[in-house]
Amino acid sequence: RGHNERAVHLLDESLAAHRDLGDQWRIASVIEALAEVATMRGRAKHAAFLVGAASAVREAIGAPVPPCEAVELDACVASLRKTLDRRIFTKAWEAGSKAPLHAVAEGYPVGA
């Protein structure tokens, strides 16, 4: 709704709370939401990094993206693939998938 800064703030708070609770499933969902906001803000490399991080969390716990979240995430990833060169997308995704969770939660810089 155009309140991207507020969304980031609230999502950061949510991420911290779920991290404190150890709720990996919700951590992945919040990181994906942060990726969607980053995409809206024109931070495509950072968004690809975040999607890679969320994917790694989901893979580690064996939890797929819930169907109610899949449409928005798929649209976000499709947008990123159109925006970014394939190598840059892959590099950012892989960096996210290897980043420790605390680095993702602290807004680990990816150069964009």
Side-chain angles (χ1 to χ4, degrees):
R1 294 184 178 170
H3 302 285
N4 293 336
E5 295 302 319
R6 179 86 173 125
V8 169
H9 174 73
L10 293 172
L11 288 167
D12 284 343
E13 286 182 358
S14 180
L15 185 58
H18 291 298
R19 190 180 66 231
D20 290 347
L21 293 170
D23 185 349
Q24 298 292 304
W25 185 80
R26 282 285 172 212
I27 286 171
S29 290
V30 172
I31 294 171
E32 290 159 352
L34 283 165
E36 292 171 25
V37 174
T39 300
M40 287 182 241
R41 296 171 76 192
R43 299 189 65 213
K45 272 176 54 176
H46 187 65
F49 170 86
L50 291 169
V51 174
S55 178
V57 171
R58 290 196 179 283
E59 186 175 318
I61 63 172
V65 176
C68 63
E69 297 173 11
V71 172
E72 291 168 345
L73 180 61
D74 290 347
C76 175
V77 172
S79 173
L80 294 172
R81 288 185 183 277
K82 284 182 182 178
T83 302
L84 294 172
D85 175 82
R86 184 176 48 87
R87 290 175 305 177
I88 293 171
F89 175 84
T90 300
K91 186 175 178 179
W93 178 294
E94 288 174 354
S97 71
K98 295 174 185 172
L101 188 55
H102 73 274
V104 173
E106 294 167 2
Y108 188 80
V110 139

